[in-house]
Amino acid sequence: MFRTALRNVFAHKARLLMTVLAVMLGVAFVSGTLVFADTLSNAFRNQSAKSYDNVAVAITSYANPDDAEEEPGISRQTLDKISAVDGVDAAYGRVEGFAGVADPDGKLIGVGWSNKGSNFAAGKDGKDSAYTFTDGSGPVKDDQIALDKESATKGEYQVGDRVRVATNGPVKEYTLSGVFTTEDGAVNAGGSLVLFDTAVAQKQYLKPGYFEGVTVTAAPGADDKRILDAVKPLLPDSAEAKTGQALADEQAEQIEQGLGSLKQVLLGFAGIALFVGIFLISNTFTMLVAQRTKEIALMRAVGASRKQITRSVLAEAAVVGLVASVIGFVLGIGLAVGLRSGMAAFDMKIPDGPLILSATPVIAAISVGVLITMLAAWLPGRRAAKIPPVAAMNSVHAVATTKSLVVRNSIGAAITALGAAAIVAGASTGGDDGRMYIGAGAFFALIGVIILIPLLSRPVIALVRPLLVGPFGVAGKLAGQNAVRNPRRTGATASALAIGLTLVTGLSVLGVTVGKAIDKMTTDNIKADYMVSMANGGDLDQSALTALEKAKGVSAVSPQQSTYFQLGGEDFVSASAVTPGDIEQVLNVDVVSGNIGSLAEGQIAVAEKTAKNKGWKPGDSIPVTFNDEKKGTLKVGAVFKDSEFLSPVLVDTKVVNPHEVQPSIQQIFVKVDGGQSSANEKVLVDALGDNPAMTIMDQQDIRNEFGGVINTMLNIMYGLLAMALIIAVLGVVNTLAMSVFERQQEIGMLRAIGLDRRRVKRMVRLEAVVISVFGAVVGIGLGSFLGWAIGETIADQIPGYTLVLPWDRIGIFLVLAALVGVLAALWPARNAARLNMLNAIKAE
């Protein structure tokens, strides 16, 4: 029987090719994900280990620089004591913070969040062990900097050039003293690293004479653990010391955890692709069994048992799965290489390192491919075993009975009802618990709909059949009839498309709905023409606010300054320090009671929910404790409707600034005479000193900032789901090929009585379009339902949330489904039209 299985594999190469493709794509996704994750993990681990190669002990201070009662970091005196410890070769004090470098066009080099500044800590030999200089040397003067090699290349800078550098304050120019290479994570993440003289860095990022951390190198033969034990007693309570090896191990573990989430997401999409592939594989083996009805019946007649027939089909599936798995694994390696290169598109630089091919991806690829193929082939194999020997006489084999369809539909209806009930319950419950219910319900609903699809195909396709007859005549009528001739196979093919479009539509409904809500929230709340913020998401310097207030044509400007204080003797509350009189011109402050103008009198405005919970109203005096522990009283002057852009309490900046060491200005909203224009934007850029680290966004930029992430995520999801849709297309090809094979006599008779080749092709194409659109309609319906349900669980977290059905995208999905049908029908339609009518009429 095994020899028979092998013979059948080689006898039906064209049919099995589509199965190989389906399994191959799924396996490639699985193996590629595992190889990619292993490669990234190894590269980052090596980089982490390399960055700690020469570090015996690393010390980190967790002191609060704003706390006057403790040292803000590790002092120079402590550093000297550490340097004198037996076995220590050198101790380098470190401080760091944000520093952005402008390219020749004034644009920021890097991506903001990974732009970093630090100090050049020279040892006894005048070198810093953390950096290798390829040109020049480290900065030793106030007006000098050194720059990492990647950033120097991007900015076309050479030693001696003047370089504009932005921190949280005004832009300054420095002379480039040297260019270096480093294993620093900021540079490897696609950012930049600027080295300042130590005194300059301390002044910018901490306080003169203090460091945030210390790296200790050991003398030859010294023991790291002994150095650690000797160093610990010298440190303040706010500092922690660990060996370099311990930190490298911790970073490696964090890398594993971080990559674990990415691996799970990619494997999830691989699972979807394989699940869709099951339908294609099952259809393929059903086709092969149908083609070998007489052969199987003869084998039964000469003594082959049912188990032997089933084993023969499963052996055939195992061979196909093994071949597909091997090819898929090779493609997976290519996919891993492509993913690694593609991350550069997101400004993520991956450390150099070899491609890691461990045993896990190999075993997973082969196991998954073979098992999935055999699982999908089991049901066709079982059906093949039921073919009675008498079928050898007339080529008629066991067909689905009415009883089996009734049982199938009953089970499908019950599972679908259970899934729908769970989804509705989840939508009503909301929160994380609700989403868990929806996830379980979605699984059961999808399985139930797949079981019911053969039943659904007849009435749904019957609705569109009149649309085919009018424009396409006889070819359209035949196509409509052929589409429901074998509802099981039509259902299996439509299921593959339905699964993919369920996910795509659900994501689209949820993404578009959330995007519209955020867009509306932005439009309704922001009246300013521009919003200014730091590229790295950090705080703006007070000088930026002062510069904008003095800029020509600015009619209103208010900061969104974050602060906290204790109101009413209770917990700390979040507050926004703003400019009275201007805040209502740049943001929509919907006053419920009182007068927002009272902010200028030193009073506060309180959000409606907070006021209701605390029992506050305009005129109430509330005791307050500021950040510097000073106490006072604040009077409630107004109550306003809650807003995502405003904290629960509004207060004048003049009230809180005397109590703040450093104001935390997150954004500055600006309104200018004449509204948005390139000229007005240029005025703001000039006012801020052409600072590359500051972003100036108009209203459309602001909307994109808040809603653009959603569109980016949707596009990524669409790309990942494309794999499943490609497999679904192969399934449509398979179904049509089987349909043409089963109807050879019929097609021959139609050709004999006058149906020309052109109309035969049209008939097959229309059949493909009907099946594809049917699957799309089912998927779109279920996906919209799921999108609504998940949206209900987050509706209370997004003001103005209202379900939006993206009809434009839904229309595109239907058109693409029809196009899938047309493309999938090219080969089967061509074969059908080329059938020799006499041979076809004689075919059994």
Side-chain angles (χ1 to χ4, degrees):
M1 296 304 294
F2 183 70
R3 286 199 301 271
T4 303
L6 288 177
R7 180 180 59 79
N8 288 328
V9 169
F10 292 110
H12 303 93
K13 291 186 281 291
R15 293 282 181 267
L16 291 172
L17 176 61
M18 285 176 283
T19 296
V20 170
L21 287 173
V23 179
M24 179 183 71
L25 290 174
V27 168
F29 218 146
V30 172
S31 58
T33 296
L34 294 175
V35 172
F36 175 65
D38 288 346
T39 299
L40 252 63
S41 179
N42 180 73
F44 281 115
R45 276 200 307 270
N46 289 343
Q47 179 201 46
S48 175
K50 191 174 180 181
S51 64
Y52 288 105
D53 267 351
N54 299 320
V55 178
V57 174
I59 303 166
T60 305
S61 171
Y62 297 101
N64 180 5
D66 299 331
D67 190 341
E69 296 183 0
E70 66 175 356
E71 288 188 307
I74 300 168
S75 66
R76 166 62 69 177
Q77 291 77 10
T78 301
L79 181 65
D80 292 339
K81 291 178 182 178
I82 295 171
S83 300
V85 168
D86 186 36
V88 171
D89 180 56
Y92 303 91
R94 307 289 184 192
V95 287
E96 61 182 45
F98 170 75
V101 181
D103 66 14
D105 296 326
K107 302 298 182 182
L108 183 68
I109 296 175
V111 289
W113 57 268
S114 59
N115 293 109
K116 178 179 162 185
S118 187
N119 65 302
F120 174 72
K124 299 173 184 177
D125 58 357
K127 297 180 180 179
D128 189 329
S129 63
Y131 313 106
T132 302
F133 279 80
T134 59
D135 193 13
S137 59
V140 292
K141 297 181 181 178
D142 290 355
D143 68 338
Q144 290 182 335
I145 62 162
L147 195 58
D148 69 274
K149 188 175 181 180
E150 291 283 338
S151 300
T153 301
K154 291 176 183 176
E156 301 177 0
Y157 291 123
Q158 296 179 350
V159 172
D161 288 349
R162 297 289 286 176
V163 182
R164 297 177 69 246
V165 180
T167 54
N168 288 350
V171 179
K172 294 182 180 180
E173 279 198 354
Y174 298 86
T175 299
L176 185 63
S177 66
V179 176
F180 59 88
T181 59
T182 177
E183 294 298 327
D184 191 282
V187 176
N188 284 299
S192 62
L193 177 59
V194 180
L195 296 182
F196 299 93
D197 177 63
T198 296
V200 174
Q202 286 177 325
K203 185 177 179 181
Q204 285 186 154
Y205 299 130
L206 195 58
K207 287 184 178 179
Y210 288 92
F211 301 94
E212 293 173 324
V214 176
T215 55
V216 180
T217 59
D223 182 68
D224 293 354
K225 185 68 171 59
R226 287 185 180 179
I227 294 175
L228 176 66
D229 293 338
V231 164
K232 279 184 176 180
L234 304 176
L235 303 178
D237 294 337
S238 58
E240 181 183 29
K242 293 182 180 180
T243 63
Q245 184 59 52
L247 286 173
D249 293 341
E250 284 182 11
Q251 278 200 7
E253 186 176 343
Q254 291 170 2
I255 289 166
E256 291 289 346
Q257 292 174 354
L259 292 176
S261 299
L262 175 63
K263 185 192 293 186
Q264 289 174 6
V265 170
L266 292 176
L267 287 177
F269 283 98
I272 293 168
L274 287 168
F275 185 60
V276 172
I278 287 175
F279 296 96
L280 188 155
I281 299 165
S282 181
N283 262 357
T284 299
F285 279 92
T286 300
M287 181 192 304
L288 296 174
V289 168
Q291 289 177 319
R292 302 205 305 268
T293 300
K294 181 176 288 189
E295 175 189 324
I296 292 172
L298 285 171
M299 292 175 67
R300 293 277 287 115
V302 297
S305 67
R306 289 187 174 185
K307 288 184 178 180
Q308 285 178 310
I309 297 297
T310 303
R311 288 172 188 163
S312 175
V313 175
L314 291 178
E316 190 175 338
V319 172
V320 172
L322 181 61
V323 172
S325 298
V326 171
I327 299 173
F329 178 72
V330 174
L331 286 178
I333 295 173
L335 179 63
V337 174
L339 284 171
R340 181 172 176 173
S341 301
M343 290 189 73
F346 296 92
D347 291 319
M348 290 292 293
K349 181 185 174 185
I350 307 302
D352 293 332
L355 197 68
I356 303 301
L357 300 177
S358 63
T360 301
V362 178
I363 295 171
I366 295 175
S367 300
V368 167
V370 174
L371 289 177
I372 287 292
T373 309
M374 292 181 69
L375 175 65
W378 176 77
L379 190 57
R382 186 169 173 269
R383 288 175 184 162
K386 290 183 178 181
I387 297 176
V390 72
M393 301 290 187
N394 53 21
S395 296
V396 177
H397 59 279
V399 295
T401 62
T402 303
K403 179 182 177 181
S404 70
L405 290 174
V406 170
V407 172
R408 173 180 179 142
N409 293 335
S410 300
I411 294 173
I415 295 176
T416 303
L418 175 64
I423 292 171
V424 172
S428 302
T429 304
D432 292 337
D433 292 339
R435 285 188 283 275
M436 288 180 64
Y437 289 139
I438 292 171
F443 175 77
F444 285 110
L446 197 57
I447 296 298
V449 168
I450 289 170
I451 296 173
L452 281 176
I453 270 186
L455 175 66
L456 296 173
S457 63
R458 291 185 182 275
V460 174
I461 293 177
L463 292 174
V464 300
R465 195 179 297 165
L467 301 176
L468 300 175
V469 176
F472 303 107
V474 174
K477 181 178 181 179
L478 291 172
Q481 292 173 343
N482 292 335
V484 294
R485 176 175 294 185
N486 190 329
R488 286 178 182 270
R489 190 169 64 241
T490 296
T493 303
S495 295
L497 280 170
I499 293 168
L501 283 172
T502 294
L503 298 171
V504 169
T505 305
L507 288 170
S508 297
V509 170
L510 187 62
V512 170
T513 300
V514 172
K516 291 284 186 184
I518 292 176
D519 189 63
K520 185 176 186 299
M521 179 178 68
T522 305
T523 304
D524 291 349
N525 285 281
I526 296 180
K527 296 159 68 175
D529 296 312
Y530 297 98
M531 182 179 81
V532 179
S533 61
M534 291 295 293
N536 69 330
D539 293 336
L540 289 156
D541 191 75
Q542 184 73 32
S543 60
L545 177 62
T546 304
L548 290 171
E549 289 173 339
K550 297 178 179 179
K552 181 181 178 181
V554 171
S555 57
V557 56
S558 176
Q560 177 77 300
Q561 181 176 319
S562 177
T563 187
Y564 295 87
F565 43 66
Q566 203 171 13
L567 273 181
E570 298 183 8
D571 295 333
F572 280 83
V573 297
S574 172
S576 291
V578 298
T579 302
D582 286 5
I583 184 63
E584 55 266 40
Q585 296 184 54
V586 295
L587 292 177
N588 184 22
V589 184
D590 194 349
V591 178
V592 176
S593 58
N595 181 8
I596 195 66
S598 61
L599 288 173
E601 301 170 8
Q603 299 181 15
I604 60 173
V606 183
E608 190 174 19
K609 289 182 181 177
T610 302
K612 185 177 181 181
N613 292 337
K614 303 290 187 181
W616 297 337
K617 60 185 182 298
D620 290 350
S621 293
I622 315 295
V624 59
T625 302
F626 293 101
N627 281 333
D628 58 358
E629 303 298 329
K630 292 184 179 179
K631 300 182 183 297
T633 302
L634 291 175
K635 187 176 182 180
V636 178
V639 174
F640 63 93
K641 286 188 177 180
D642 290 77
S643 169
E644 289 295 311
F645 287 86
L646 294 170
S647 298
V649 175
L650 298 183
V651 63
D652 188 350
T653 55
K654 295 178 182 178
V655 173
V656 298
N657 280 353
H659 306 283
E660 302 280 352
V661 175
Q662 180 68 39
S664 176
I665 303 175
Q666 297 173 329
Q667 297 102 18
I668 300 175
F669 293 96
V670 184
K671 196 167 186 65
V672 294
D673 296 333
Q676 300 174 33
S677 68
S678 56
N680 281 335
E681 185 172 341
K682 181 68 166 57
V683 168
L684 299 185
V685 170
D686 292 341
L688 294 171
D690 195 12
N691 193 323
M694 294 183 186
T695 58
I696 300 174
M697 292 183 280
D698 59 23
Q699 288 191 350
Q700 185 58 51
D701 293 331
I702 297 171
R703 292 163 69 183
N704 294 340
E705 174 79 7
F706 289 99
V709 175
I710 295 174
N711 290 328
T712 300
M713 290 301 298
L714 277 178
N715 291 333
I716 292 173
M717 295 297 183
Y718 289 160
L720 293 173
L721 288 171
M723 185 80 73
L725 294 176
I726 290 171
I727 295 174
V729 172
L730 297 176
V732 178
V733 176
N734 238 4
T735 295
L736 294 175
M738 182 186 289
S739 180
V740 170
F741 168 76
E742 289 182 344
R743 300 203 307 269
Q744 288 185 71
Q745 278 190 335
E746 177 186 314
I747 293 171
M749 291 295 296
L750 290 171
R751 292 277 288 112
I753 61 176
L755 193 69
D756 58 23
R757 290 184 174 182
R758 181 172 57 85
R759 282 188 287 182
V760 169
K761 287 183 180 179
R762 183 181 298 167
M763 175 185 71
V764 177
R765 288 186 190 126
L766 290 174
E767 181 182 347
V769 170
V770 168
I771 294 173
S772 299
V773 172
F774 167 58
V777 168
V778 173
I780 288 170
L782 185 55
S784 299
F785 180 47
L786 289 175
W788 162 80
I790 297 173
E792 288 297 303
T793 66
I794 59 174
D796 59 341
Q797 302 172 27
I798 303 176
Y801 182 95
T802 305
L803 180 69
V804 177
L805 290 178
W807 294 111
D808 53 343
R809 300 194 187 196
I810 289 174
I812 292 172
F813 296 157
L814 288 172
V815 170
L816 288 176
L819 182 61
V820 162
V822 172
L823 295 175
L826 290 176
W827 176 56
R830 181 171 174 270
N831 285 347
R834 294 178 63 185
L835 283 175
N836 183 289
M837 67 181 72
L838 294 179
N839 292 335
I841 292 171
K842 291 190 299 180
E844 297 183 357

